Amino acid sequence: MKFVRLFFLLVIILVVNVIASAKVSSFKSYRPVIDTIIKLDSVKDRKLLKGKKSTSNKGGKTAAGKTDTTKKQSGGLKSIVTAHAEDSTRYDDVHQVLYLYGRARVTYEDFELDADYIRVDEKNKIIFASGQIDPLTKRYIGRPISKQGKDKPVTSDSLRFHYETKKGKIYNASSDQDGNFITGGQAKKLNETEVAYRNIIFSTCDLPYPDTHFGIVITKGIGEKNRIVSGPAFLEIEGVPLPLAIPFGFFPKPDSRTSGVILPTFGEDQKLGFYLRNFGYYIALNDYIDLTNMGTFYSKGSYEVSTSARYLSRYKYSGTVTLSYSSTNYGLPGDPPTKDFHIDWSHSQNPNSNPGTTFSASVNAGTSGFFKNNPATQGYNLNTLTSSSLRSSIAYGRVWEGTPFNLTVNLSHSQDLVNKTVTLELPTFNFNMSTISPFDSKERVGTQKWYQKITVGYSVQGTNKINAVPESELFTSETFTKRLQNGIEHQIPIGFNQNILKYFQFSANVNYQEWWYFQTVRESFARGSVPGRDSLTFDTVGGFKRAGQYTVGASLSTKIYSTLSFKNSSIKAIRYVATPSLSFSYHPDFSNLNYGYYQTAVSNATIPYQISYQKYSIFQNAVYGGPSAGKTAGVGISIDNNIEAKVRPKSTDTSTTDKKIKILEGFNISTFYNFAADSLKLSAISFSGHTSLFKQKLNITIGGSLDPYVTQVRDSIMSNQIFKYKVPTNRYTWQDGKFPTLTSFNLSASASLNPALFKPQNTTTPTPANTLQTMNPDQAAKLALLNSDPSAYVDFNVPWNVSLNYSFNYNNGYTSTFVTNTIQLSGDVNVTPKWKVQYTTNYDLRAGRLSSATSFGIYRDLHCWDLSVQWLPFGYYKSYNVTLRVKAAILQDLKLTKRSDYTSNQFYSPN
């Protein structure tokens, strides 16, 4: 019986809808929408509530999916209201009310409104908007989205707006205010600049109420352009109010970056005492540059200060400059503190901003003990703490379009943190002319003649260099007056390539080098020196000197193919490709005294010792070196090997295309025989190879060298100790029936695995937007401006990653051997969709122990918060660091940190 009643009810509803559709010419069926947020007026909206067409709508026209601009204007209204709906519209002539259904849109002057249901009351000049209940999911959809002028869009459950006075009321609104979010409650627009709030949540969580995780509930308040003045307010987490309240307050609601104090963190360091860490002041100079000034102060007198400037010019360039200085004392009270400084500058240019010209900077310089003495500066980053060198580069490049010329100017810096030495190049320039064919013509018709294949190039580079200066002597006057080296190097390569006898590739080359120096070296034996002892003295002589050398070479190569076919096998064929090469090179002996590049130091006669002498180059230790000693006239032999298989397609493969599998991508063996040498004419036999397995998931590389000569090991006594030394002999090992001696061998294997490697890529699915992988250079510059810490971004979209690297090295010095055998493992895994664990470790297979650089990282995505844990369980850097921080860029300094510094370890020493 219930089913019959339900059936007749459906029939009645269908008949009513058919009649209504017949009365409204060419319209879609009208579905009444009952407002679930604000109750509609029972008199004014009775026809809407009943779902019937108004009887007063005589001659009123509606049009589904078409624009309807109201023509009736009253009260001196200056502008018109433009309305549109995709489903249907209906106009009530009696009450002058326009109804819009289904993706409706209304605009009036600078006011814009989108919603699934909009009612425009022209008589009272009131717009009402709301969403609707989806009949299938029973969810409230199509919420109103409103925007006025330059204000940011506001999403709400419903709203009323007087489009003449610009006043209105919004229910359960949600709006973004530059990293802060206002959601829930009621908002009443008083005028164009002020809004009255009631029971709203001021939060960094972008989820609308009631899903907001964290925020401050403002019971009553007034929102102005750049702030919210509130009455009573309290803190709420996960919908649970906390007993943390204020009677009134001021909350920032900026439309641009503003200056302010950076709150510090408090704690205790076992060596340095109590600290006030990262206390500072942020200065927003303008929309393109800001300054962050921070300091850390310890109760025992140590301190760290830094200032960081970030700048951005949209579509042009962006960068960050950080200057840091510290004074630390890990010793006894009263000991002199250690002074450290560091400069960090990164600059990148949009390649489209100035075509043909590039400028970039990556400066990372400072004292060798800065990161060691100030580990918190880089957030206890393991890679930074264990680094042994620093490098910097500032580069400018210019390419002249339509010409073969280009120029680069570079200032570079390298620093050895272990030996505490610095090398500077101030600056280095390089002007190049790409190879051209001077005897060829652009208007040539037909194939090239042999002489038209001759190519010529040119390059010149120069530098001013200070090499391996101790840090303590870097800024002394003698460093730049006596230790500054400079020089210019020219290179002119001439080449020729030609196919001969159809199967052979012949090439010839002549390379000329010339050096210009403004200082040279002279050697002499010190007075009273004894021959056989290191008593040579060096003297630097000023004045211009040039030197030049040339080499001549030629090579002949071909390819040899061999194929092994299979009939009744899934492997169709295996192809072997050998590429033998035979080369010749000639180089004169430029150490001959006739060239003037080498001189001889002669000692005085000392009884009972004879005169001793030594030949030396006047260009030794020069920035680009000098002409080489020794005559070379020899033949080089090499052969490269490649093996690949062709596999028949599977029965399920509809492409019917053979598949190629690389078995050995390359294996090269080479050596050189110098006919001009007095002895040991054959060079070491070197070999190298690489391949990939399992569909290129595993990469393997090998290399090494073989000594073809017999080498004897002898004993000697010095300072009452026996030590061994090697003596090579001019006899081949195969003359004694032995294989050449393996002097070095290395093997490395690496694999990087993640779920994407095991799933076929869907080429039809577009790449998701707004990810770190898909951002454009301008977006990357903005992201770098917000936060330069790459560890702040954790990708939860990849369930797991594994990177495995195996390394084996063997070196045979005859008197001793050196072997390393290690495995490096790193990666991450999503324990849950919001939990990620990262890990990095090294295991020494030879020693049978883990490296002290083993570390773990745990990340928890708390939506608008991040929880991170960094843990080094053992070793020199044993420590942990727990940080809870807000994701919002405007509140990056709102964080809670708990750490155990490795500087508090029992055996820690900064020196």
Side-chain angles (χ1 to χ4, degrees):
M1 191 65 182
K2 291 182 179 180
F3 176 80
V4 175
R5 291 178 181 175
L6 178 60
F7 175 79
F8 279 104
L9 180 59
L10 292 175
V11 171
I12 293 171
I13 294 174
L14 180 60
V15 171
V16 170
N17 279 278
V18 170
I19 295 173
S21 299
K23 292 182 178 180
V24 181
S25 60
S26 72
F27 281 111
K28 298 180 181 180
S29 60
Y30 166 69
R31 292 179 299 170
V33 179
I34 300 177
D35 185 3
T36 58
I37 307 301
I38 302 176
K39 294 183 179 181
L40 301 183
D41 189 272
S42 59
V43 177
K44 183 185 303 182
D45 302 313
R46 64 183 183 278
K47 299 188 182 298
L48 178 63
L49 293 172
K50 293 179 179 179
K52 296 180 180 181
K53 180 178 177 297
S54 175
T55 57
S56 62
N57 189 12
K58 297 177 182 180
K61 294 184 178 180
T62 59
K66 296 183 180 180
T67 302
D68 183 5
T69 304
T70 60
K71 304 295 183 181
K72 302 176 179 58
Q73 305 299 328
S74 61
L77 193 61
K78 297 179 180 180
S79 303
I80 60 175
V81 177
T82 302
H84 169 80
E86 287 193 5
D87 191 347
S88 62
T89 62
R90 185 170 64 87
Y91 186 74
D92 188 339
D93 284 333
V94 175
H95 300 97
Q96 297 182 15
V97 178
L98 176 66
Y99 301 92
L100 301 101
Y101 306 97
R103 295 188 180 181
R105 181 174 178 80
V106 170
T107 60
Y108 174 75
E109 294 182 349
D110 61 348
F111 177 75
E112 302 175 41
L113 173 65
D114 292 290
D116 254 22
Y117 167 66
I118 300 177
R119 185 183 69 236
V120 181
D121 187 342
E122 296 180 8
K123 185 176 180 181
N124 298 311
K125 301 176 180 58
I126 294 177
I127 298 176
F128 170 79
S130 69
Q132 69 172 354
I133 301 295
D134 188 284
L136 297 178
T137 63
K138 306 301 181 183
R139 296 175 64 89
Y140 191 66
I141 62 173
R143 284 178 167 85
I145 301 176
S146 58
K147 183 179 182 298
Q148 184 171 354
K150 296 182 179 180
D151 294 343
K152 292 194 174 182
V154 178
T155 304
S156 58
D157 281 353
S158 63
L159 64 85
R160 286 181 181 273
F161 179 73
H162 195 289
Y163 55 80
E164 190 176 59
T165 63
K166 302 294 182 67
K167 296 181 179 180
K169 200 176 247 189
I170 304 175
Y171 295 84
N172 200 10
S174 179
S175 175
D176 177 14
Q177 303 291 335
D178 288 339
N180 296 323
F181 296 89
I182 298 174
T183 182
Q186 299 179 14
K188 185 177 181 180
K189 192 170 183 62
L190 304 177
N191 50 54
E192 293 186 358
T193 59
E194 292 184 340
V195 179
Y197 293 115
R198 182 179 180 184
N199 294 329
I200 65 163
I201 298 180
F202 184 78
S203 172
T204 60
C205 184
D206 60 352
L207 289 177
Y209 180 82
D211 296 319
T212 305
H213 292 176
F214 164 86
I216 299 173
V217 178
I218 300 176
T219 57
K220 291 182 180 181
I222 299 294
E224 300 177 348
K225 183 178 180 180
N226 296 322
R227 62 180 177 177
I228 298 176
V229 182
S230 79
F234 58 89
L235 185 65
E236 183 178 278
I237 298 179
E238 293 287 353
V240 179
L242 301 182
L244 299 174
I246 55 175
F248 61 89
F250 297 88
F251 299 92
K253 192 171 66 70
D255 53 4
S256 62
R257 290 175 293 175
T258 57
S259 304
V261 175
I262 300 174
L263 297 179
T265 57
F266 305 89
E268 181 183 8
D269 185 280
Q270 187 173 348
K271 298 288 185 180
L272 303 178
F274 295 98
Y275 61 75
L276 188 68
R277 176 167 289 161
N278 294 334
F279 176 71
Y281 193 80
Y282 173 80
I283 304 175
L285 297 178
N286 50 50
D287 290 339
Y288 307 102
I289 185 171
D290 61 11
L291 290 174
T292 303
N293 305 288
M294 303 182 73
T296 299
F297 306 94
Y298 298 88
S299 60
K300 292 185 179 181
S302 299
Y303 62 89
E304 308 160 18
V305 292
S306 68
T307 180
S308 178
R310 300 180 297 181
Y311 56 90
L312 169 67
S313 180
R314 185 174 296 182
Y315 308 120
K316 291 184 179 180
Y317 56 82
S318 64
T320 304
V321 182
T322 302
L323 305 176
S324 304
Y325 179 81
S326 68
S327 174
T328 54
N329 188 351
Y330 288 99
L332 298 174
D335 289 348
T338 302
K339 310 289 186 178
D340 292 296
F341 73 91
H342 189 263
I343 303 173
D344 197 341
W345 178 32
S346 63
H347 176 92
S348 61
Q349 176 182 301
N350 191 317
N352 300 323
S353 63
N354 195 358
T357 303
T358 60
F359 179 79
S360 63
S362 177
V363 177
N364 186 17
T367 54
S368 58
F370 179 80
F371 295 117
K372 200 172 185 180
N373 294 329
N374 307 281
T377 303
Q378 293 293 320
Y380 296 84
N381 184 283
L382 183 61
N383 293 330
T384 302
L385 294 174
T386 57
S387 62
S388 59
S389 63
L390 298 177
R391 295 186 181 276
S392 305
S393 176
I394 302 174
Y396 168 81
R398 175 72 187 274
V399 176
W400 285 270
E401 186 178 0
T403 69
F405 303 106
N406 63 82
L407 170 70
T408 59
V409 180
N410 185 65
L411 295 108
S412 64
H413 147 271
S414 61
Q415 189 171 352
D416 189 333
L417 300 182
V418 178
N419 297 320
K420 298 183 178 181
T421 59
V422 180
T423 298
L424 300 175
E425 292 191 68
L426 307 167
T428 295
F429 72 89
N430 196 325
F431 180 80
N432 292 296
M433 181 190 75
S434 57
T435 56
I436 60 174
S437 300
F439 303 107
D440 200 0
S441 174
K442 294 182 179 180
E443 290 78 19
R444 173 179 52 84
V445 178
T447 59
Q448 282 182 312
K449 308 223 182 293
W450 69 269
Y451 60 85
Q452 293 175 329
K453 296 181 180 180
I454 297 176
T455 60
V456 179
Y458 172 74
S459 68
V460 56
Q461 60 178 335
T463 188
N464 293 292
K465 188 174 184 179
I466 301 175
N467 189 36
V469 178
E471 287 182 10
S472 57
E473 302 177 9
L474 180 60
F475 297 105
T476 59
S477 59
E478 294 185 355
T479 299
F480 290 90
T481 57
K482 294 185 177 181
R483 305 193 64 163
L484 181 65
Q485 298 175 295
N486 43 48
I488 298 175
E489 180 185 45
H490 305 263
Q491 292 193 42
I492 304 177
I494 302 174
F496 170 76
N497 289 278
Q498 177 71 44
N499 288 328
I500 61 175
L501 301 177
K502 190 178 180 179
Y503 299 107
F504 295 92
Q505 179 70 30
F506 173 78
S507 65
N509 63 83
V510 177
N511 188 36
Y512 177 76
Q513 291 177 280
E514 182 166 312
W515 298 273
W516 296 351
Y517 293 116
F518 301 94
Q519 56 186 16
T520 51
V521 172
R522 299 294 185 271
E523 289 186 10
S524 61
F525 284 90
R527 178 180 297 180
S529 60
V530 177
R533 295 184 181 180
D534 186 16
S535 56
L536 286 172
T537 60
F538 296 84
D539 188 21
T540 301
V541 179
F544 176 78
K545 284 288 184 179
R546 62 159 296 278
Q549 74 171 11
Y550 65 90
T551 58
V552 179
S555 66
L556 185 69
S557 64
T558 187
K559 287 185 179 293
I560 302 174
Y561 298 89
S562 178
T563 304
L564 180 62
S565 302
F566 301 90
K567 292 184 178 180
N568 300 321
S569 174
S570 59
I571 300 176
K572 189 174 183 178
I574 295 179
R575 187 178 72 167
Y576 166 71
V577 182
T579 307
S581 178
L582 186 67
S583 62
F584 169 80
S585 64
Y586 172 76
H587 177 272
D589 182 9
F590 289 100
S591 66
N592 191 309
L593 299 180
N594 294 330
Y595 289 102
Y597 304 150
Y598 285 75
Q599 294 185 6
T600 303
V602 182
S603 68
N604 295 325
T606 303
I607 299 175
Y609 301 104
Q610 297 179 352
I611 294 176
S612 62
Y613 62 91
Q614 180 173 324
K615 185 185 288 188
Y616 67 93
S617 171
I618 64 174
F619 302 107
Q620 61 180 303
N621 301 325
V623 288
Y624 295 117
S628 303
K631 183 178 180 181
T632 300
V635 176
I637 302 173
S638 70
I639 181 171
D640 190 62
N641 305 271
N642 177 279
I643 302 175
E644 65 179 19
K646 184 179 290 187
V647 181
R648 291 184 173 89
K650 296 181 180 181
S651 57
T652 57
D653 190 352
T654 57
S655 64
T656 66
T657 303
D658 294 335
K659 187 176 181 181
K660 293 183 179 180
I661 299 177
K662 295 181 179 180
I663 300 175
L664 182 64
E665 296 184 19
F667 183 76
N668 182 272
I669 303 175
S670 63
T671 187
F672 183 81
Y673 190 87
N674 185 10
F675 293 99
D678 295 332
S679 61
L680 305 177
K681 297 183 178 183
L682 185 64
S683 300
I685 303 170
S686 62
F687 61 90
S688 62
H690 65 281
T691 189
S692 57
L693 304 175
F694 308 112
K695 299 181 179 180
Q696 297 185 345
K697 293 182 178 65
L698 177 63
N699 298 310
I700 300 175
T701 302
I702 62 171
S705 62
L706 300 167
D707 186 358
Y709 290 100
V710 175
T711 300
Q712 297 178 354
V713 179
R714 298 178 181 177
D715 295 337
S716 180
I717 299 177
M718 180 178 290
S719 302
N720 296 324
Q721 291 184 351
I722 298 176
F723 69 95
K724 298 180 181 294
Y725 66 98
K726 63 179 182 179
V727 178
T729 62
N730 195 27
R731 180 179 179 82
Y732 297 112
T733 56
W734 50 76
Q735 290 181 278
D736 296 337
K738 297 181 180 179
F739 195 77
T741 305
L742 181 66
T743 56
S744 67
F745 177 76
N746 62 80
L747 168 67
S748 63
S750 63
S752 182
L753 306 176
N754 56 57
L757 294 176
F758 301 95
K759 294 180 181 179
Q761 304 224 348
N762 186 3
T763 57
T764 60
T765 304
T767 305
N770 300 325
T771 65
L772 294 176
Q773 292 76 19
T774 60
M775 68 175 63
N776 57 44
D778 185 51
Q779 291 173 327
K782 293 179 183 178
L783 185 61
L785 189 61
L786 290 175
N787 195 334
S788 59
D789 181 12
S791 64
Y793 309 102
V794 181
D795 189 359
F796 282 89
N797 296 322
V798 181
W800 55 269
N801 278 296
V802 176
S803 294
L804 182 66
N805 293 277
Y806 171 75
S807 177
F808 175 83
N809 288 278
Y810 168 81
N811 286 281
N812 180 12
Y814 290 99
T815 59
S816 62
T817 58
F818 179 75
V819 179
T820 62
N821 192 10
T822 60
I823 293 178
Q824 181 182 18
L825 182 66
S826 63
D828 55 70
V829 59
N830 285 3
V831 181
T832 70
K834 298 296 183 180
W835 281 97
K836 181 180 283 290
V837 176
Q838 294 182 333
Y839 51 89
T840 300
T841 187
N842 289 290
Y843 185 76
D844 191 331
L845 296 173
R846 188 174 177 85
R849 65 169 180 264
L850 288 173
S851 167
S852 60
T854 299
S855 66
F856 294 92
I858 303 175
Y859 295 89
R860 174 67 165 97
D861 183 4
L862 299 172
H863 183 68
C864 51
W865 288 75
D866 268 336
L867 173 66
S868 63
V869 179
Q870 298 293 332
W871 178 39
L872 279 69
F874 48 79
Y876 178 79
Y877 294 103
K878 179 181 178 181
S879 60
Y880 70 85
N881 182 11
V882 182
T883 302
L884 178 65
R885 63 182 170 188
V886 179
K887 283 185 179 180
I890 197 172
L891 295 176
Q892 280 293 301
D893 296 299
L894 181 57
K895 58 185 177 181
L896 179 65
T897 302
K898 175 62 178 177
R899 60 164 54 100
S900 169
D901 299 352
Y902 76 87
T903 56
S904 300
N905 293 345
Q906 181 179 359
F907 302 104
Y908 171 77
S909 174
N911 300 320

